Each structure stands twice: as structure tokens, then as C-alpha cells.
């Protein structure tokens, strides 16, 4: 079963002098731990077309690392694994202090061991902490998904990925691989926020001890405004002396869900690391956000794969 253990906030020098009572690590079903707050290199950090300012990507990622974001979430399809690797090297933080995720392209068939080897080479790393299948769309049948997962298991058994998991998988996708899995997915990274709570999917994760990571956790504060949660977030932010974005991230963390976010603002990143551990939502506040969130449906990603009213 997934559980939370206490964590320490590193300062810009890599030291960890202060224990965080309210922002622990999450223990995965394979015994490894993942920080509950991560820095994402998708969206604004991506270089999918190869035309982005690579120096700027490295600069911003180094800034995030030096400010204490040691959980770094990348992917093959983002097109910036080399930049992530360069930032890791430039930041000078010991590898063992970092938690690095990358992902297999989830929309095209390819040689999986070769794709993983390429990711490691671009990152300049001997191993990653977490390797995910980015989406189930590279498979045309449950049997293909099962074979893909078998190859993921081999990568974990090689020791070059400490944990393996999936991303953007729905319950039928998970059920397919669990039928034959020797190693269950440690985590499923999905778009998750109060306006997209996925019905019973989280209950299925808990039943099978699969952790959840949320990307787009700030959607209700950013992309989906105005909305029914605006006043709720403002009220809680005022109560705790924080920003509504801090409340949105805390809502995920207080459910034991990993929150992956990003920013090009050093001040904002520092605020996340300083403010989010300083408060904890009450169970009633977590429930209230969830209930009010159900009044609106909004999906920010993969809209070409879902009907407009699909809440799964």
C-alpha cells in the first residue's frame, strides 16, 4: 500500500536542514519513495518542434533545481531530455539527491529498450528513478499493452529504472496490464484537478495500490477561470496566508497525490517550496474543494482522445 513518510526541504546548496511536517514523500508499492511535489518539463519547458530556446530551458531548469526542486519530470516526447541532462550536470546537485522521471512516447510503436537507452543517453544518466509509458495509444489491443508492460518490467529488472509506471491510463488500460503483470505499475500520472476528478478511477488505484501523480493541478486557478472554485480558493488562501495556487497544489498533496507543476518565475517556485509545507488543508476543506469542483468539467490535455463531456 502507498504510504507517506517525512521528507526534508533542501536549500539552494543541497542541504536539508528543515524537516517538513506537511510535505512528506510518498512510498510506492515497490518500496521506493517519490517526492510529492515535482517540477515538470512539459508544456512551457517542452521543445517538441526543436525550435525552442534550449539555453533558456537549461537555465530555467537549473534555477528550479538550485531552488530545491529535486523531483524532475521529463519525457521523450517533450524533446528536451538533453536539456534536462545538461541542467542536472550544471546544477551540481549529487545524483542521489535527485528524483528523475522520463517517459516512453505513448503514441507511436518503437523499439522500447532502444528508446529507453536513448533517453538515458540524452539525460546523461545511468538510471532514472521512474520510467513511464506516456499514454496507452501506442497499443492497438490489450495484448499489445501487456507486451509493452512486459518490456517495461524487464527495464525495471535491469536496475536502470528504479520504478516503472504509466501515464494517461484509464481503468480498462490498467486492467489489461494487471492481468499479466509480474510487477504492477507503481504510479499513473494523469491530468487531475477539481474540474477533472475521473469518477471512480482513483478508487481503482487505491484498491490496487497504484499511486497517482497529477499534471495540470493548477488548472482551476489558471486555465479554467472563471469557475465555481474561485471564491473557495481565495477564501482558503486568505485563511492560510498563501496564494490560491498553493491551495490547489496542497489539495492534491493532502490526498497523497503527487503534484507536478512548473513555472519560469523563481519567486513563484520559492513560494511553492516555502508556502506549501507551511499549512495543511483539513479533511473538510479537501472534501469541499472536491464537491464544488464537480460543478464544472474542464480538460486541458488530450482533448482529441475524449468527448467534450467525458469525465473519465
Amino acid at each position: 500500500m502507498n504510504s507517506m513518510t517525512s521528507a526534508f526541504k533542501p536549500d539552494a546548496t543541497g542541504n536539508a536542514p528543515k524537516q517538513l511536517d506537511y510535505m512528506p514523500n510518498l512510498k510506492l508499492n515497490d518500496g521506493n519513495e517519490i517526492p510529492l511535489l515535482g517540477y515538470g518539463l512539459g508544456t512551457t519547458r517542452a521543445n517538441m518542434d526543436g525550435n525552442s530556446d534550449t539555453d533558456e530551458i537549461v537555465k530555467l531548469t537549473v534555477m528550479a533545481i538550485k531552488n530545491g526542486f529535486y523531483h524532475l519530470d521529463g519525457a521523450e516526447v517533450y524533446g528536451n531530455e538533453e536539456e534536462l541532462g545538461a541542467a542536472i550536470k550544471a546544477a551540481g546537485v549529487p545524483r542521489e539527491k535527485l528524483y528523475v522521471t522520463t517517459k516512453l512516447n505513448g503514441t507511436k510503436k518503437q523499439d522500447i529498450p532502444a528508446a529507453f537507452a536513448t533517453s538515458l543517453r540524452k539525460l546523461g544518466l545511468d538510471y532514472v528513478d521512474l520510467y513511464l509509458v506516456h499514454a496507452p495509444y501506442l497499443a492497438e489491443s490489450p495484448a499489445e499493452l501487456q507486451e509493452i508492460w512486459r518490456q517495461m518490467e524487464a527495464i525495471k529488472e535491469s536496475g536502470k529504472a528504479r520504478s516503472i509506471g504509466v501515464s494517461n491510463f484509464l481503468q480498462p488500460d490498467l486492467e489489461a496490464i494487471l492481468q499479466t503483470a509480474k510487477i504492477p505499475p507503481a504510479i499513473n500520472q494523469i491530468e487531475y484537478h477539481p474540474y477533472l476528478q475521473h469518477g471512480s478511477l482513483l478508487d481503482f488505484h487505491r484498491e490496487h495500490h497504484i499511486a497517482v501523480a497529477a499534471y495540470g493541478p493548477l488548472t482551476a486557478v489558471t486555465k479554467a477561470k472563471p469557475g465555481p472554485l474561485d471564491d473557495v480558493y481565495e477564501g482558503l488562501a486568505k485563511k492560510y496566508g498563501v496564494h490560491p495556487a498553493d491551495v490547489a497544489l496542497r489539495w492534491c498533496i493532502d490526498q497523497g497525490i503527487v503534484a507536478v507543476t512548473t513555472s519560469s518565475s523563481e519567486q513563484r517556485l520559492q513560494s511553492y517550496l516555502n508556502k506549501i509545507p507551511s499549512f495543511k488543508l483539513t479533511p473538510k476543506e479537501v472534501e469541499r474543494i472536491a464537491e464544488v469542483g464537480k460543478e464544472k468539467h474542464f480538460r486541458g490535455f488530450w482533448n482529441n482522445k475524449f468527448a467534450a463531456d467525458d469525465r473519465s
Side-chain angles (χ1 to χ4, degrees):
M1 180 176 292
N2 303 316
S3 61
M4 291 186 282
T5 58
S6 60
F8 294 83
K9 174 184 176 296
D11 63 19
T13 66
N15 298 315
K18 180 180 178 182
Q19 184 170 359
L20 298 182
D21 293 329
Y22 296 143
M23 198 163 68
N25 287 341
L26 182 69
K27 194 168 188 177
L28 302 173
N29 60 19
D30 60 7
N32 294 318
E33 295 185 5
I34 183 171
L36 273 161
L37 187 62
Y39 180 80
L41 278 91
T43 59
T44 55
R45 301 287 88 74
N47 187 24
M48 297 179 188
D49 59 4
N51 295 320
S52 298
D53 186 339
T54 57
D55 289 340
E56 183 70 4
I57 294 171
V58 174
K59 177 183 175 182
L60 290 172
T61 307
V62 169
M63 178 265 290
I65 296 171
K66 286 185 174 293
N67 276 282
F69 271 85
Y70 285 6
H71 175 184
L72 306 166
D73 183 87
E76 173 190 343
V77 76
Y78 298 162
N80 57 16
E81 288 175 310
E82 289 180 334
E83 289 82 359
L84 173 54
I88 289 170
K89 184 176 181 180
V93 173
R95 173 66 183 93
E96 62 271 16
K97 291 182 178 290
L98 301 175
Y99 190 97
V100 181
T101 299
T102 196
K103 310 177 189 77
L104 172 75
N105 189 325
T107 60
K108 71 174 185 178
K109 296 181 182 181
Q110 57 181 322
D111 182 324
I112 294 173
F116 178 64
T118 298
S119 288
L120 284 182
R121 177 180 58 77
K122 288 181 176 180
L123 290 165
L125 300 176
D126 296 325
Y127 71 93
V128 293
D129 297 275
L130 180 62
Y131 191 47
L132 305 179
V133 182
H134 206 152
Y137 309 123
L138 72 170
E140 296 178 358
S141 68
E144 283 192 36
L145 272 182
Q146 291 165 357
E147 171 57 23
I148 290 163
W149 189 250
R150 186 192 66 76
Q151 295 184 58
M152 293 289 289
E153 290 175 326
I155 288 172
K156 176 173 171 57
E157 289 169 347
S158 75
K160 294 182 178 181
R162 299 284 174 86
S163 298
I164 53 173
V166 296
S167 182
N168 299 300
F169 274 47
L170 299 181
Q171 184 169 328
D173 308 313
L174 292 168
E175 288 173 337
I177 60 176
L178 287 172
Q179 286 179 5
T180 58
K182 295 178 181 178
I183 302 170
I187 198 165
N188 185 15
Q189 186 182 115
I190 55 176
E191 180 182 352
Y192 181 78
H193 47 78
Y195 296 153
L196 185 60
Q197 298 183 50
H198 296 277
S200 62
L201 182 59
L202 265 67
D203 289 335
F204 181 85
H205 284 84
R206 295 185 184 104
E207 178 185 351
H208 293 277
H209 311 304
I210 300 170
V212 175
Y215 67 82
L218 299 182
T219 295
V221 179
T222 55
K223 290 184 177 182
K225 291 184 75 173
L229 275 170
D230 295 353
D231 290 342
V232 176
Y233 277 143
E234 289 290 346
L236 290 171
K238 184 176 180 180
K239 173 184 175 180
Y240 291 111
V242 298
H243 188 275
D246 301 322
V247 176
L249 293 173
R250 190 75 240 184
W251 180 74
C252 290
I253 290 168
D254 285 334
Q255 297 178 77
I257 294 171
V258 177
V260 178
T261 189
T262 192
S263 177
S264 58
S265 165
E266 185 168 20
Q267 182 179 8
R268 173 52 54 196
L269 292 179
Q270 290 174 346
S271 176
Y272 290 154
L273 290 172
N274 292 324
K275 293 291 188 179
I276 293 172
S278 72
F279 74 104
K280 190 177 191 300
L281 298 173
T282 68
K284 286 187 177 180
E285 288 166 347
V286 171
E287 183 179 358
R288 183 184 177 207
I289 291 171
E291 286 304 309
V292 175
K294 291 175 183 176
E295 297 175 12
K296 178 172 181 172
H297 171 64
F298 185 94
R299 185 187 298 276
F301 302 88
W302 296 99
N303 285 291
N304 61 327
K305 299 293 184 181
F306 298 93
D309 60 349
D310 190 339
R311 296 170 183 256
S312 58

